[in-house]
PDB file of all heavy atoms in Angstrom:
ATOM      1  N   LEU A   1      -3.337   2.668  -7.090  1.00 93.00           N
ATOM      2  CA  LEU A   1      -3.929   1.612  -8.165  1.00 93.00           C
ATOM      3  C   LEU A   1      -4.190   0.287  -7.518  1.00 93.00           C
ATOM      4  O   LEU A   1      -5.230  -0.325  -7.764  1.00 93.00           O
ATOM      5  CB  LEU A   1      -2.985   1.648  -9.382  1.00 93.00           C
ATOM      6  CG  LEU A   1      -3.423   0.669 -10.469  1.00 93.00           C
ATOM      7  CD1 LEU A   1      -4.837   1.169 -10.937  1.00 93.00           C
ATOM      8  CD2 LEU A   1      -2.459   0.835 -11.595  1.00 93.00           C
ATOM      9  N   HIS A   2      -3.267  -0.067  -6.734  1.00 95.00           N
ATOM     10  CA  HIS A   2      -3.314  -1.495  -6.154  1.00 95.00           C
ATOM     11  C   HIS A   2      -4.521  -1.491  -5.184  1.00 95.00           C
ATOM     12  O   HIS A   2      -5.264  -2.529  -5.076  1.00 95.00           O
ATOM     13  CB  HIS A   2      -2.055  -1.872  -5.345  1.00 95.00           C
ATOM     14  CG  HIS A   2      -2.141  -3.067  -4.613  1.00 95.00           C
ATOM     15  ND1 HIS A   2      -2.226  -2.997  -3.187  1.00 95.00           N
ATOM     16  CD2 HIS A   2      -2.109  -4.454  -5.002  1.00 95.00           C
ATOM     17  CE1 HIS A   2      -2.280  -4.350  -2.637  1.00 95.00           C
ATOM     18  NE2 HIS A   2      -2.214  -5.119  -3.774  1.00 95.00           N
ATOM     19  N   SER A   3      -4.694  -0.541  -4.325  1.00 94.00           N
ATOM     20  CA  SER A   3      -5.776  -0.378  -3.354  1.00 94.00           C
ATOM     21  C   SER A   3      -7.056  -0.297  -4.111  1.00 94.00           C
ATOM     22  O   SER A   3      -8.180  -0.850  -3.612  1.00 94.00           O
ATOM     23  CB  SER A   3      -5.568   0.783  -2.532  1.00 94.00           C
ATOM     24  OG  SER A   3      -6.574   1.105  -1.560  1.00 94.00           O
ATOM     25  N   MET A   4      -7.249   0.444  -5.136  1.00 91.00           N
ATOM     26  CA  MET A   4      -8.417   0.574  -6.018  1.00 91.00           C
ATOM     27  C   MET A   4      -8.764  -0.877  -6.559  1.00 91.00           C
ATOM     28  O   MET A   4      -9.891  -1.177  -6.601  1.00 91.00           O
ATOM     29  CB  MET A   4      -8.298   1.566  -7.047  1.00 91.00           C
ATOM     30  CG  MET A   4      -8.172   2.999  -6.601  1.00 91.00           C
ATOM     31  SD  MET A   4      -7.727   4.149  -7.858  1.00 91.00           S
ATOM     32  CE  MET A   4      -9.346   4.050  -8.816  1.00 91.00           C
ATOM     33  N   ALA A   5      -7.761  -1.541  -6.905  1.00 93.00           N
ATOM     34  CA  ALA A   5      -8.029  -2.964  -7.426  1.00 93.00           C
ATOM     35  C   ALA A   5      -8.749  -3.791  -6.416  1.00 93.00           C
ATOM     36  O   ALA A   5      -9.611  -4.664  -6.631  1.00 93.00           O
ATOM     37  CB  ALA A   5      -6.770  -3.516  -8.093  1.00 93.00           C
ATOM     38  N   LEU A   6      -8.044  -3.815  -5.126  1.00 93.00           N
ATOM     39  CA  LEU A   6      -8.632  -4.491  -4.053  1.00 93.00           C
ATOM     40  C   LEU A   6     -10.020  -4.168  -3.779  1.00 93.00           C
ATOM     41  O   LEU A   6     -10.794  -5.081  -3.219  1.00 93.00           O
ATOM     42  CB  LEU A   6      -7.646  -4.373  -2.836  1.00 93.00           C
ATOM     43  CG  LEU A   6      -6.261  -4.873  -2.900  1.00 93.00           C
ATOM     44  CD1 LEU A   6      -5.490  -4.645  -1.608  1.00 93.00           C
ATOM     45  CD2 LEU A   6      -6.260  -6.342  -3.146  1.00 93.00           C
ATOM     46  N   GLN A   7     -10.489  -2.877  -3.813  1.00 89.00           N
ATOM     47  CA  GLN A   7     -11.734  -2.421  -3.620  1.00 89.00           C
ATOM     48  C   GLN A   7     -12.746  -2.566  -4.657  1.00 89.00           C
ATOM     49  O   GLN A   7     -13.837  -2.164  -4.634  1.00 89.00           O
ATOM     50  CB  GLN A   7     -11.661  -0.966  -3.152  1.00 89.00           C
ATOM     51  CG  GLN A   7     -10.939  -0.761  -1.935  1.00 89.00           C
ATOM     52  CD  GLN A   7     -10.810   0.744  -1.442  1.00 89.00           C
ATOM     53  OE1 GLN A   7     -11.746   1.375  -1.399  1.00 89.00           O
ATOM     54  NE2 GLN A   7      -9.510   1.097  -1.192  1.00 89.00           N
ATOM     55  N   GLY A   8     -12.228  -3.166  -5.901  1.00 85.00           N
ATOM     56  CA  GLY A   8     -13.155  -3.344  -6.980  1.00 85.00           C
ATOM     57  C   GLY A   8     -13.282  -2.060  -7.824  1.00 85.00           C
ATOM     58  O   GLY A   8     -14.157  -1.988  -8.705  1.00 85.00           O
ATOM     59  N   GLN A   9     -12.457  -1.016  -7.640  1.00 83.00           N
ATOM     60  CA  GLN A   9     -12.675   0.174  -8.408  1.00 83.00           C
ATOM     61  C   GLN A   9     -11.580   0.358  -9.542  1.00 83.00           C
ATOM     62  O   GLN A   9     -11.479   1.330 -10.297  1.00 83.00           O
ATOM     63  CB  GLN A   9     -12.340   1.321  -7.394  1.00 83.00           C
ATOM     64  CG  GLN A   9     -13.368   1.499  -6.309  1.00 83.00           C
ATOM     65  CD  GLN A   9     -13.053   2.603  -5.283  1.00 83.00           C
ATOM     66  OE1 GLN A   9     -12.068   3.255  -5.363  1.00 83.00           O
ATOM     67  NE2 GLN A   9     -14.017   2.855  -4.454  1.00 83.00           N
ATOM     68  N   ALA A  10     -10.829  -0.772  -9.701  1.00 87.00           N
ATOM     69  CA  ALA A  10      -9.913  -0.851 -10.789  1.00 87.00           C
ATOM     70  C   ALA A  10      -9.722  -2.361 -11.112  1.00 87.00           C
ATOM     71  O   ALA A  10     -10.156  -3.240 -10.334  1.00 87.00           O
ATOM     72  CB  ALA A  10      -8.525  -0.251 -10.423  1.00 87.00           C
ATOM     73  N   PRO A  11      -9.345  -2.773 -12.321  1.00 90.00           N
ATOM     74  CA  PRO A  11      -9.205  -4.077 -12.720  1.00 90.00           C
ATOM     75  C   PRO A  11      -8.472  -4.949 -11.600  1.00 90.00           C
ATOM     76  O   PRO A  11      -7.385  -4.584 -11.193  1.00 90.00           O
ATOM     77  CB  PRO A  11      -8.389  -4.088 -14.044  1.00 90.00           C
ATOM     78  CG  PRO A  11      -8.764  -2.682 -14.604  1.00 90.00           C
ATOM     79  CD  PRO A  11      -8.897  -1.814 -13.483  1.00 90.00           C
ATOM     80  N   ALA A  12      -9.025  -6.118 -11.280  1.00 91.00           N
ATOM     81  CA  ALA A  12      -8.481  -7.014 -10.202  1.00 91.00           C
ATOM     82  C   ALA A  12      -7.010  -7.458 -10.643  1.00 91.00           C
ATOM     83  O   ALA A  12      -6.314  -7.811  -9.810  1.00 91.00           O
ATOM     84  CB  ALA A  12      -9.333  -8.237 -10.026  1.00 91.00           C
ATOM     85  N   TRP A  13      -6.686  -7.301 -11.848  1.00 93.00           N
ATOM     86  CA  TRP A  13      -5.368  -7.777 -12.331  1.00 93.00           C
ATOM     87  C   TRP A  13      -4.260  -7.000 -11.640  1.00 93.00           C
ATOM     88  O   TRP A  13      -3.122  -7.568 -11.252  1.00 93.00           O
ATOM     89  CB  TRP A  13      -5.180  -7.587 -13.870  1.00 93.00           C
ATOM     90  CG  TRP A  13      -4.043  -8.164 -14.496  1.00 93.00           C
ATOM     91  CD1 TRP A  13      -3.770  -9.495 -14.753  1.00 93.00           C
ATOM     92  CD2 TRP A  13      -2.920  -7.461 -14.940  1.00 93.00           C
ATOM     93  NE1 TRP A  13      -2.551  -9.460 -15.350  1.00 93.00           N
ATOM     94  CE2 TRP A  13      -2.039  -8.378 -15.336  1.00 93.00           C
ATOM     95  CE3 TRP A  13      -2.492  -6.064 -14.889  1.00 93.00           C
ATOM     96  CZ2 TRP A  13      -0.710  -8.047 -15.953  1.00 93.00           C
ATOM     97  CZ3 TRP A  13      -1.270  -5.686 -15.374  1.00 93.00           C
ATOM     98  CH2 TRP A  13      -0.379  -6.582 -15.839  1.00 93.00           C
ATOM     99  N   PHE A  14      -4.627  -5.731 -11.232  1.00 94.00           N
ATOM    100  CA  PHE A  14      -3.589  -4.934 -10.590  1.00 94.00           C
ATOM    101  C   PHE A  14      -3.466  -5.215  -9.131  1.00 94.00           C
ATOM    102  O   PHE A  14      -2.566  -4.650  -8.420  1.00 94.00           O
ATOM    103  CB  PHE A  14      -3.961  -3.397 -10.750  1.00 94.00           C
ATOM    104  CG  PHE A  14      -3.836  -2.978 -12.136  1.00 94.00           C
ATOM    105  CD1 PHE A  14      -4.904  -2.544 -12.847  1.00 94.00           C
ATOM    106  CD2 PHE A  14      -2.602  -2.932 -12.804  1.00 94.00           C
ATOM    107  CE1 PHE A  14      -4.732  -2.086 -14.154  1.00 94.00           C
ATOM    108  CE2 PHE A  14      -2.541  -2.535 -14.150  1.00 94.00           C
ATOM    109  CZ  PHE A  14      -3.584  -2.053 -14.768  1.00 94.00           C
ATOM    110  N   SER A  15      -4.233  -6.152  -8.517  1.00 92.00           N
ATOM    111  CA  SER A  15      -4.238  -6.474  -7.126  1.00 92.00           C
ATOM    112  C   SER A  15      -3.065  -7.365  -6.778  1.00 92.00           C
ATOM    113  O   SER A  15      -2.780  -7.608  -5.606  1.00 92.00           O
ATOM    114  CB  SER A  15      -5.557  -6.971  -6.578  1.00 92.00           C
ATOM    115  OG  SER A  15      -5.780  -8.208  -7.298  1.00 92.00           O
ATOM    116  N   TYR A  16      -2.345  -7.962  -7.799  1.00 93.00           N
ATOM    117  CA  TYR A  16      -1.312  -9.028  -7.599  1.00 93.00           C
ATOM    118  C   TYR A  16      -0.207  -8.379  -6.880  1.00 93.00           C
ATOM    119  O   TYR A  16       0.273  -7.227  -7.335  1.00 93.00           O
ATOM    120  CB  TYR A  16      -0.998  -9.573  -8.922  1.00 93.00           C
ATOM    121  CG  TYR A  16       0.237 -10.464  -8.897  1.00 93.00           C
ATOM    122  CD1 TYR A  16       0.159 -11.805  -8.408  1.00 93.00           C
ATOM    123  CD2 TYR A  16       1.518  -9.991  -9.310  1.00 93.00           C
ATOM    124  CE1 TYR A  16       1.364 -12.551  -8.299  1.00 93.00           C
ATOM    125  CE2 TYR A  16       2.611 -10.746  -9.240  1.00 93.00           C
ATOM    126  CZ  TYR A  16       2.534 -11.988  -8.690  1.00 93.00           C
ATOM    127  OH  TYR A  16       3.729 -12.841  -8.645  1.00 93.00           O
ATOM    128  N   VAL A  17       0.400  -9.104  -5.986  1.00 93.00           N
ATOM    129  CA  VAL A  17       1.677  -8.733  -5.398  1.00 93.00           C
ATOM    130  C   VAL A  17       2.671  -9.821  -5.406  1.00 93.00           C
ATOM    131  O   VAL A  17       2.261 -11.056  -5.484  1.00 93.00           O
ATOM    132  CB  VAL A  17       1.591  -8.192  -3.973  1.00 93.00           C
ATOM    133  CG1 VAL A  17       0.740  -7.019  -3.887  1.00 93.00           C
ATOM    134  CG2 VAL A  17       0.926  -9.325  -3.059  1.00 93.00           C
ATOM    135  N   ASN A  18       4.063  -9.607  -5.607  1.00 92.00           N
ATOM    136  CA  ASN A  18       4.978 -10.838  -5.614  1.00 92.00           C
ATOM    137  C   ASN A  18       5.163 -11.209  -4.163  1.00 92.00           C
ATOM    138  O   ASN A  18       4.603 -10.680  -3.183  1.00 92.00           O
ATOM    139  CB  ASN A  18       6.206 -10.098  -6.393  1.00 92.00           C
ATOM    140  CG  ASN A  18       7.007  -9.086  -5.671  1.00 92.00           C
ATOM    141  OD1 ASN A  18       6.619  -8.759  -4.475  1.00 92.00           O
ATOM    142  ND2 ASN A  18       7.921  -8.548  -6.320  1.00 92.00           N
ATOM    143  N   ARG A  19       6.249 -12.012  -4.018  1.00 91.00           N
ATOM    144  CA  ARG A  19       6.443 -12.685  -2.827  1.00 91.00           C
ATOM    145  C   ARG A  19       7.070 -11.649  -1.754  1.00 91.00           C
ATOM    146  O   ARG A  19       7.152 -11.884  -0.525  1.00 91.00           O
ATOM    147  CB  ARG A  19       7.451 -13.936  -2.788  1.00 91.00           C
ATOM    148  CG  ARG A  19       8.762 -13.550  -3.529  1.00 91.00           C
ATOM    149  CD  ARG A  19       9.635 -14.721  -3.820  1.00 91.00           C
ATOM    150  NE  ARG A  19      10.790 -14.549  -4.436  1.00 91.00           N
ATOM    151  CZ  ARG A  19      11.953 -14.428  -3.670  1.00 91.00           C
ATOM    152  NH1 ARG A  19      11.843 -14.524  -2.389  1.00 91.00           N
ATOM    153  NH2 ARG A  19      13.071 -14.276  -4.221  1.00 91.00           N
ATOM    154  N   HIS A  20       7.543 -10.583  -2.208  1.00 91.00           N
ATOM    155  CA  HIS A  20       7.982  -9.479  -1.332  1.00 91.00           C
ATOM    156  C   HIS A  20       6.953  -8.430  -1.063  1.00 91.00           C
ATOM    157  O   HIS A  20       7.176  -7.416  -0.390  1.00 91.00           O
ATOM    158  CB  HIS A  20       9.099  -8.710  -2.003  1.00 91.00           C
ATOM    159  CG  HIS A  20      10.334  -9.593  -2.345  1.00 91.00           C
ATOM    160  ND1 HIS A  20      11.074 -10.243  -1.338  1.00 91.00           N
ATOM    161  CD2 HIS A  20      10.851 -10.129  -3.533  1.00 91.00           C
ATOM    162  CE1 HIS A  20      12.061 -10.901  -1.937  1.00 91.00           C
ATOM    163  NE2 HIS A  20      11.921 -10.806  -3.147  1.00 91.00           N
ATOM    164  N   GLY A  21       5.645  -8.624  -1.515  1.00 90.00           N
ATOM    165  CA  GLY A  21       4.598  -7.802  -1.134  1.00 90.00           C
ATOM    166  C   GLY A  21       4.548  -6.519  -2.084  1.00 90.00           C
ATOM    167  O   GLY A  21       3.814  -5.470  -1.831  1.00 90.00           O
ATOM    168  N   VAL A  22       5.252  -6.592  -3.273  1.00 92.00           N
ATOM    169  CA  VAL A  22       5.415  -5.318  -4.050  1.00 92.00           C
ATOM    170  C   VAL A  22       4.307  -5.600  -5.190  1.00 92.00           C
ATOM    171  O   VAL A  22       4.320  -6.676  -5.942  1.00 92.00           O
ATOM    172  CB  VAL A  22       6.777  -5.254  -4.761  1.00 92.00           C
ATOM    173  CG1 VAL A  22       6.774  -4.060  -5.756  1.00 92.00           C
ATOM    174  CG2 VAL A  22       7.819  -5.034  -3.701  1.00 92.00           C
ATOM    175  N   PRO A  23       3.427  -4.624  -5.375  1.00 94.00           N
ATOM    176  CA  PRO A  23       2.478  -4.711  -6.482  1.00 94.00           C
ATOM    177  C   PRO A  23       3.027  -4.479  -7.850  1.00 94.00           C
ATOM    178  O   PRO A  23       2.862  -3.386  -8.385  1.00 94.00           O
ATOM    179  CB  PRO A  23       1.415  -3.692  -6.059  1.00 94.00           C
ATOM    180  CG  PRO A  23       2.099  -2.677  -5.274  1.00 94.00           C
ATOM    181  CD  PRO A  23       3.132  -3.481  -4.575  1.00 94.00           C
ATOM    182  N   VAL A  24       3.757  -5.408  -8.447  1.00 94.00           N
ATOM    183  CA  VAL A  24       4.629  -5.266  -9.587  1.00 94.00           C
ATOM    184  C   VAL A  24       3.825  -4.873 -10.766  1.00 94.00           C
ATOM    185  O   VAL A  24       4.241  -4.114 -11.676  1.00 94.00           O
ATOM    186  CB  VAL A  24       5.349  -6.444  -9.890  1.00 94.00           C
ATOM    187  CG1 VAL A  24       6.546  -6.696  -8.857  1.00 94.00           C
ATOM    188  CG2 VAL A  24       4.665  -7.731  -9.918  1.00 94.00           C
ATOM    189  N   ARG A  25       2.619  -5.572 -10.971  1.00 95.00           N
ATOM    190  CA  ARG A  25       1.723  -5.049 -12.088  1.00 95.00           C
ATOM    191  C   ARG A  25       1.314  -3.609 -12.036  1.00 95.00           C
ATOM    192  O   ARG A  25       1.311  -2.924 -13.021  1.00 95.00           O
ATOM    193  CB  ARG A  25       0.445  -6.040 -12.110  1.00 95.00           C
ATOM    194  CG  ARG A  25       0.906  -7.464 -12.506  1.00 95.00           C
ATOM    195  CD  ARG A  25      -0.396  -8.392 -12.379  1.00 95.00           C
ATOM    196  NE  ARG A  25      -0.077  -9.785 -12.650  1.00 95.00           N
ATOM    197  CZ  ARG A  25      -0.901 -10.758 -12.490  1.00 95.00           C
ATOM    198  NH1 ARG A  25      -2.210 -10.468 -12.254  1.00 95.00           N
ATOM    199  NH2 ARG A  25      -0.572 -11.977 -12.826  1.00 95.00           N
ATOM    200  N   ALA A  26       0.908  -3.111 -10.912  1.00 94.00           N
ATOM    201  CA  ALA A  26       0.544  -1.842 -10.705  1.00 94.00           C
ATOM    202  C   ALA A  26       1.777  -0.899 -10.952  1.00 94.00           C
ATOM    203  O   ALA A  26       1.589   0.139 -11.518  1.00 94.00           O
ATOM    204  CB  ALA A  26      -0.179  -1.501  -9.336  1.00 94.00           C
ATOM    205  N   LEU A  27       2.655  -1.341 -10.367  1.00 94.00           N
ATOM    206  CA  LEU A  27       3.926  -0.595 -10.655  1.00 94.00           C
ATOM    207  C   LEU A  27       4.456  -0.403 -12.029  1.00 94.00           C
ATOM    208  O   LEU A  27       4.699   0.629 -12.397  1.00 94.00           O
ATOM    209  CB  LEU A  27       5.226  -1.289  -9.741  1.00 94.00           C
ATOM    210  CG  LEU A  27       6.494  -0.552  -9.922  1.00 94.00           C
ATOM    211  CD1 LEU A  27       6.605   0.824  -9.401  1.00 94.00           C
ATOM    212  CD2 LEU A  27       7.698  -1.434  -9.130  1.00 94.00           C
ATOM    213  N   GLY A  28       4.362  -1.599 -12.772  1.00 94.00           N
ATOM    214  CA  GLY A  28       4.650  -1.452 -14.066  1.00 94.00           C
ATOM    215  C   GLY A  28       3.812  -0.608 -14.970  1.00 94.00           C
ATOM    216  O   GLY A  28       4.209   0.215 -15.915  1.00 94.00           O
ATOM    217  N   ALA A  29       2.493  -0.596 -14.654  1.00 94.00           N
ATOM    218  CA  ALA A  29       1.462   0.211 -15.396  1.00 94.00           C
ATOM    219  C   ALA A  29       1.827   1.635 -15.078  1.00 94.00           C
ATOM    220  O   ALA A  29       1.794   2.518 -15.940  1.00 94.00           O
ATOM    221  CB  ALA A  29       0.068  -0.292 -15.059  1.00 94.00           C
ATOM    222  N   THR A  30       1.929   1.913 -13.720  1.00 93.00           N
ATOM    223  CA  THR A  30       2.204   3.408 -13.397  1.00 93.00           C
ATOM    224  C   THR A  30       3.504   3.847 -14.114  1.00 93.00           C
ATOM    225  O   THR A  30       3.486   5.138 -14.465  1.00 93.00           O
ATOM    226  CB  THR A  30       2.260   3.511 -11.836  1.00 93.00           C
ATOM    227  OG1 THR A  30       1.163   2.907 -11.291  1.00 93.00           O
ATOM    228  CG2 THR A  30       2.492   4.975 -11.452  1.00 93.00           C
ATOM    229  N   ALA A  31       4.588   2.983 -13.960  1.00 92.00           N
ATOM    230  CA  ALA A  31       5.840   3.521 -14.659  1.00 92.00           C
ATOM    231  C   ALA A  31       5.693   3.770 -16.121  1.00 92.00           C
ATOM    232  O   ALA A  31       6.125   4.668 -16.669  1.00 92.00           O
ATOM    233  CB  ALA A  31       6.853   2.514 -14.471  1.00 92.00           C
ATOM    234  N   LEU A  32       4.818   2.964 -16.833  1.00 92.00           N
ATOM    235  CA  LEU A  32       4.612   3.141 -18.244  1.00 92.00           C
ATOM    236  C   LEU A  32       3.912   4.424 -18.502  1.00 92.00           C
ATOM    237  O   LEU A  32       4.172   5.234 -19.463  1.00 92.00           O
ATOM    238  CB  LEU A  32       3.817   1.978 -18.791  1.00 92.00           C
ATOM    239  CG  LEU A  32       4.575   0.667 -19.084  1.00 92.00           C
ATOM    240  CD1 LEU A  32       3.777  -0.541 -19.499  1.00 92.00           C
ATOM    241  CD2 LEU A  32       5.860   0.865 -20.091  1.00 92.00           C
ATOM    242  N   VAL A  33       2.839   4.697 -17.751  1.00 87.00           N
ATOM    243  CA  VAL A  33       2.133   5.992 -17.878  1.00 87.00           C
ATOM    244  C   VAL A  33       3.107   7.125 -17.650  1.00 87.00           C
ATOM    245  O   VAL A  33       3.050   8.202 -18.366  1.00 87.00           O
ATOM    246  CB  VAL A  33       0.936   5.974 -16.986  1.00 87.00           C
ATOM    247  CG1 VAL A  33       0.323   7.363 -16.993  1.00 87.00           C
ATOM    248  CG2 VAL A  33      -0.190   4.958 -17.273  1.00 87.00           C
ATOM    249  N   GLY A  34       3.825   7.148 -16.533  1.00 84.00           N
ATOM    250  CA  GLY A  34       4.739   8.153 -16.363  1.00 84.00           C
ATOM    251  C   GLY A  34       5.787   8.395 -17.447  1.00 84.00           C
ATOM    252  O   GLY A  34       6.055   9.472 -17.825  1.00 84.00           O
ATOM    253  N   ALA A  35       6.330   7.346 -17.997  1.00 85.00           N
ATOM    254  CA  ALA A  35       7.220   7.310 -19.101  1.00 85.00           C
ATOM    255  C   ALA A  35       6.640   7.964 -20.412  1.00 85.00           C
ATOM    256  O   ALA A  35       7.181   8.749 -21.058  1.00 85.00           O
ATOM    257  CB  ALA A  35       7.919   6.003 -19.342  1.00 85.00           C
TER     258      ALA A  35
END
């Protein structure tokens, strides 16, 4: 999801990463869908 956001194939909002390089927004969205 993060890679798709970087390539313009998903909302750019998901391209954000924290200072550790973790795409937390994409992680949260994916975890919510899984749950």
Side-chain angles (χ1 to χ4, degrees):
L1 179 58
H2 174 254
S3 177
M4 291 175 66
L6 292 176
Q7 299 177 47
Q9 299 176 350
W13 189 78
F14 292 117
S15 63
Y16 170 80
V17 296
N18 63 12
R19 61 190 180 90
H20 299 292
V22 179
V24 289
R25 293 176 180 174
L27 175 62
T30 304
L32 285 176
V33 171

